[in-house]
């Protein structure tokens, strides 16, 4: 039933880009480490960079588990489910890298995202994922659900922060600079946003 794809293009790319939510899964190398699974759903915060690379904006949150796991080992799986239309599940297994604000690549990557006001969400990094295995599966058991709109709460909370206060917010959180398992997380203090290009 499942199919393996060599690249992200055509109907596969269209399907991924049309979904309103996707999930990221990462884990540390330690066998007893904490596995992380996160939903991502701010409209405009995901892009297909090319046939093998995708990227999403890493916004403010209460932990930085994905960032920490990627810094340690790079392993990540992204998953999209069809909650409307024909059933489908797509997974991209690959290697991920957090590109932080002070990285020379950051501004160019940020320029690829035209559909979201990142200044309202406490942007921490751009996560770039290079696919190693691309597969779909039936999705027959995924329920029908309808999308109404993005919740405004995240933007309402973080729109009032500037670079300095956002860094202060992160420094007060227990699992931002280090993960739940003690791995290096988000580098602090948070660098300022680079000038727009």
């Amino acid at each position: 039933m499942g199919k393996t794809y060599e690249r992200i293009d055509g109907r596969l790319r269209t399907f991924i880009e049309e979904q309103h939510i996707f999930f990221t899964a990462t884990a540390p190398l330690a066998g007893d480490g904490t596995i992380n699974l996160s939903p991502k759903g701010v409209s405009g915060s995901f892009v297909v960079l090319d046939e093998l690379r995708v990227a999403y904006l890493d916004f403010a949150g209460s932990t930085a588990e994905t960032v920490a796991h990627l810094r340690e080992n790079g392993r990540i799986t992204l998953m999209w489910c069809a909650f409307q239309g024909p059933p489908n599940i797509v997974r991209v297994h690959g290697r991920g890298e957090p590109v932080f604000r002070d990285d020379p690549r950051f501004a160019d990557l940020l320029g690829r995202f035209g559909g979201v006001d990142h200044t309202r969400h406490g942007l921490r990094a751009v996560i770039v994922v290079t696919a190693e295995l691309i597969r779909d599966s039936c999705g027959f058991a995924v329920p029908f659900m309808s999308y109404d709109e993005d919740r405004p709460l995240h933007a309402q909370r973080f729109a009032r922060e500037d670079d300095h206060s956002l860094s202060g917010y992160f420094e007060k959180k227990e699992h931002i600079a280090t993960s739940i398992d003690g791995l290096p997380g988000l580098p602090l203090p948070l660098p300022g946003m680079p000038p727009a290009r």
Side-chain angles (χ1 to χ4, degrees), residues 177-191:
T178 58
S179 74
I180 292 170
D181 300 313
L183 297 172
L186 186 70
L188 296 174
L190 187 69

Side-chain angles (χ1 to χ4, degrees), residues 14-16 24 42 47 49 66 78 82 90 92 117 120 125 144 147 154-156 168:
T14 299
F15 170 77
I16 288 173
T24 67
V42 175
V47 295
L49 297 174
T66 301
L78 308 180
V90 172
V92 171
D117 181 0
R120 299 179 53 79
F144 284 112
Y147 169 80
H154 194 272
Q156 290 169 355

Side-chain angles (χ1 to χ4, degrees), residues 51-139:
E51 293 180 338
L52 289 178
R53 294 183 312 136
V54 299
Y56 69 89
L57 301 178
D58 179 59
F59 293 130
S62 56
T63 67
E65 297 303 297
T66 301
V67 166
H69 296 161
L70 294 180
R71 290 182 72 188
E72 184 203 36
N73 62 65
R75 299 177 307 165
I76 188 168
T77 298
L78 308 180
M79 184 183 78
W80 296 262
C81 299
F83 295 109
Q84 298 175 344
N88 195 14
I89 298 171
V90 172
R91 291 179 181 88
V92 171
H93 306 266
R95 309 297 291 180
E97 176 189 11
V99 178
F100 299 116
R101 292 168 160 213
D102 57 353
D103 188 300
R105 300 169 294 167
F106 183 86
D108 286 337
L109 283 167
L110 188 56
R112 300 290 300 267
F113 297 86
V116 64
D117 181 0
H118 63 82
T119 63
R120 299 179 53 79
H121 290 277
L123 180 61
R124 304 187 298 191
V126 177
I127 306 297
V128 177
V129 177
T130 302
E132 295 179 333
L133 176 64
I134 306 162
R135 289 193 49 82
D136 69 3
S137 55
C138 68

